[in-house]
Amino acid sequence: MFIMRFKIIFFLLTIPTIGFSQLPSPSYQLELGAMGQGGTQKPFWLISNQDGQFDPGQSSLFGGLYVGSEVEHQGEWFHNPMHEIPKHDTISNKKITVDYGVELFNRYNGSYDFQLNQYYADFSWWRFNLQVGAKSETFGNQYDPLSSGSLLYSGNGRPIPKVAASSDYIPLPLSKGYIEFRGYLSHGWFEKDRYTESPYLHHKNVYVRVGGDLPIHAHYGFHHYAMWGGVSPVYGQVPDGLEAYKKVFLVQRGDSIQNEIKNAYGNHLGSRNFGIDYEGQAFGLQLYWQTIFEDNSGKVWRNIKDGLWGLAYRNRGRKPLVKRALYEFLHTKDQSGRHHKIEGEIVGGNDNYFNNYLYASGWTSRGYTLGTPLITSPAIRKTSSGQKLINNRLIAHHLGLTGWLKNNLRYRMLFTYSINYGTNANPFDPVKKDYSLLAGFHYRFPNDPTWKLKAKLAGDFGSMYGPNLGVFFSLQKTANF
């Protein structure tokens, strides 16, 4: 099955070379480096929000090669602001454009581990886009380079192969550009090596933005994710035809598995994203809030205390000491309460984020949570229990800072304080507190700016992940062929 999917994706990736005479010239990014650690594992911020590339275990060597048309979009400091103001008028862009990329990654921890992390093609026309393959991406309204991560899809796990259709913001007719909409719909394939093998990924979202040419904009986005289909070790083949897809799309009840007959077919997650943005001549501000829900109690706001709140600052100067600053508060402890009843019957509560009885590997990709990494990945804290995520009730404060120390030297700093409570079924006693820190530096050689030296120092201090210390060094070459 994997080989067949890979052949299909490879064929689709060759379409640009067949059907288009004008393609962006490929560039490459080559990186070689090493990571060292002292403690039980690598520090939290050396391995989190890294597309699942790095193993938490012992010190390692690594190398990566990206070849494609979007080299400038690669790396942990790139931000794709899906809700921000367009920098150019795309209405006049009526030609089909193509972007593409392939990324190979290898890490050595006593043995070689080769990964095909990215392989994709993007076709764009006017304000519409078609994506095929596995691409590193995040969803939400956070500022990625400094954020602790989107609540539901943060770039913490390995990229998932998918076919996705989307649009940029399109003005509502007669609104003079002051009301705009955008949408997204995708179908993806999870890996086979899971508790329920080879389930599908469904994701759709819609955003509305108001403000037009004003310096203040407000936006609202609704995200719906679902895991469905697959082969269960208990129930066998889970329904996965067109009728099953309809039930997933419309969040309808199932008809073969008892819990899904009672509730809904598939494992559903959702988020409402609210934001207000201000863009002045000297600085910009971004205020955002992401909610989370996994069942009806969350949809009707019984877990209103849970969510991600953020405030981001942007200095519009060219290379200031403080270019960006960010504060986030994450709360997932409420979960609609332990339970609530109607006429003595438990009908909700204990939302148990990212865990599911049928898809017991959880909301993960190859052991890493797809959402915020602060809901602990099984790869980082393993468990022998039936449900893989042992810590989804927490409170966290997160700070991020980036800027320039010199013309060719940029820094990024992260600091996170978390109070971790485990799960409702298996609470931590006592609770586990943790401080996770990262200081990263990028130095571009002035005589040859295609070369970059990267260094990071990170640590965990506390009972959840620490004590750990770690260092990261790499040399990176970016150039055209």
Side-chain angles (χ1 to χ4, degrees):
M1 183 63 71
F2 172 79
I3 294 175
M4 179 60 69
R5 289 174 184 163
F6 182 82
K7 287 181 178 179
I8 293 172
I9 292 173
F10 180 80
F11 171 75
L12 290 171
L13 289 176
T14 64
I15 290 177
T17 64
I18 298 172
F20 297 89
S21 59
Q22 295 294 326
L23 286 175
S25 299
S27 302
Y28 70 89
Q29 180 173 284
L30 175 65
E31 184 173 9
L32 299 173
M35 301 175 71
Q37 52 127 136
T40 57
Q41 62 185 24
K42 296 183 180 75
F44 183 82
W45 284 123
L46 281 187
I47 56 178
S48 297
N49 289 344
Q50 303 291 316
D51 293 326
Q53 290 182 334
F54 299 108
D55 185 88
Q58 61 191 15
S59 301
S60 59
L61 303 174
F62 66 89
L65 173 64
Y66 171 89
V67 177
S69 61
E70 298 183 295
V71 165
E72 70 277 7
H73 293 178
Q74 305 304 307
E76 59 198 351
W77 287 6
F78 171 72
H79 178 52
N80 185 16
M82 66 176 297
H83 66 279
E84 290 184 4
I85 306 167
K87 299 299 186 292
H88 58 279
D89 184 6
T90 58
I91 293 179
S92 61
N93 184 15
K94 293 296 183 68
K95 295 182 179 180
I96 295 177
T97 60
V98 182
D99 284 305
Y100 55 91
V102 175
E103 181 191 28
L104 300 173
F105 184 83
N106 178 45
R107 62 191 185 197
Y108 180 77
N109 292 74
S111 61
Y112 292 101
D113 181 11
F114 286 94
Q115 303 172 11
L116 180 60
N117 270 8
Q118 297 188 79
Y119 45 98
Y120 69 90
D122 280 345
F123 306 87
S124 299
W125 175 81
W126 191 47
R127 296 177 184 266
F128 298 99
N129 177 266
L130 175 66
Q131 175 187 319
V132 181
K135 183 177 183 180
S136 177
E137 57 190 348
T138 67
F139 292 93
N141 55 358
Q142 70 287 336
Y143 177 66
D144 287 314
L146 296 181
S147 174
S148 61
S150 167
L151 201 47
L152 292 190
Y153 209 103
S154 68
N156 189 50
R158 288 273 293 276
I160 295 174
K162 64 178 70 171
V163 177
S166 62
S167 73
D168 295 328
Y169 275 113
I170 299 174
L172 185 70
L174 305 179
S175 71
K176 297 184 178 180
Y178 284 90
I179 303 176
E180 303 168 285
F181 291 88
R182 67 179 296 161
Y184 177 94
L185 176 65
S186 73
H187 174 78
W189 294 265
F190 282 94
E191 72 274 16
K192 180 180 180 180
D193 187 16
R194 307 173 63 90
Y195 177 82
T196 295
E197 298 180 354
S198 305
Y200 298 132
L201 168 66
H202 171 73
H203 176 204
K204 58 179 175 285
N205 66 62
V206 60
Y207 273 76
V208 58
R209 182 177 65 184
V210 297
D213 295 330
L214 299 175
I216 297 179
H217 291 75
H219 64 267
Y220 165 77
F222 181 88
H223 288 262
H224 173 219
Y225 299 86
M227 301 177 68
W228 64 289
V231 181
S232 165
V234 177
Y235 302 101
Q237 177 65 57
V238 182
D240 62 358
L242 289 177
E243 184 63 27
Y245 180 78
K246 174 186 173 184
K247 293 180 184 296
V248 168
F249 193 95
L250 299 176
V251 197
Q252 296 178 339
R253 294 181 180 181
D255 52 18
S256 60
I257 299 174
Q258 184 60 39
N259 278 17
E260 297 190 342
I261 295 174
K262 183 178 179 181
N263 298 299
Y265 170 68
N267 176 28
H268 297 262
L269 303 90
S271 177
R272 301 175 179 93
N273 290 191
F274 303 87
I276 298 176
D277 305 297
Y278 167 76
E279 282 291 338
Q281 292 186 352
F283 68 93
L285 292 174
Q286 176 186 352
L287 181 66
Y288 54 93
W289 172 31
Q290 299 176 12
T291 72
I292 180 174
F293 58 88
E294 293 206 25
D295 58 16
N296 189 64
S297 60
K299 286 192 293 183
V300 298
W301 304 95
R302 287 186 181 271
N303 65 342
I304 188 67
K305 295 179 181 178
D306 289 341
L308 175 70
W309 291 260
L311 176 63
Y313 163 83
R314 174 192 176 197
N315 186 329
R316 301 194 68 179
R318 185 171 178 270
K319 289 188 176 182
L321 179 62
V322 177
K323 178 65 176 180
R324 297 267 193 171
L326 174 144
Y327 166 75
E328 289 182 339
F329 174 70
L330 176 64
H331 190 290
T332 65
K333 184 184 174 185
D334 182 74
Q335 302 199 11
S336 304
R338 291 188 64 87
H339 58 76
H340 46 269
K341 299 180 179 180
I342 296 178
E343 296 180 352
E345 180 184 2
I346 296 177
V347 295
N350 187 23
D351 295 338
N352 203 12
Y353 302 142
F354 296 2
N355 276 316
N356 184 265
Y357 80 100
L358 179 59
Y359 300 97
S361 295
W363 185 237
T364 68
S365 174
R366 292 178 172 85
Y368 284 86
T369 57
L370 288 170
T372 172
L374 292 169
I375 293 182
T376 308
S377 297
I380 295 179
R381 290 292 297 263
K382 294 180 173 62
T383 175
S384 59
S385 65
Q387 293 188 323
K388 299 299 183 180
L389 282 78
I390 64 171
N391 178 48
N392 58 20
R393 299 180 65 242
L394 61 103
I395 299 172
H397 299 269
H398 175 80
L399 298 172
L401 198 68
T402 187
W404 273 265
L405 297 175
K406 290 185 177 181
N407 188 49
N408 294 314
L409 180 60
R410 188 174 181 182
Y411 73 92
R412 182 175 71 123
M413 304 188 72
L414 304 178
F415 170 79
T416 307
Y417 169 62
S418 63
I419 308 173
N420 302 276
Y421 297 85
T423 65
N424 274 320
N426 296 285
F428 293 154
D429 186 16
V431 300
K432 298 180 183 295
K433 299 181 180 180
D434 200 86
Y435 301 87
S436 294
L437 304 92
L438 172 78
F441 304 91
H442 285 193
Y443 177 74
R444 193 178 296 275
F445 291 90
N447 295 330
D448 187 352
T450 65
W451 288 94
K452 183 188 295 182
L453 181 65
K454 299 164 63 176
K456 302 178 189 177
L457 175 65
D460 301 321
F461 306 94
S463 55
M464 185 65 201
Y465 304 111
N468 302 306
L469 287 174
V471 293
F472 171 110
F473 293 99
S474 75
L475 189 62
Q476 186 181 91
K477 170 74 171 180
T478 302
N480 299 319
F481 282 102

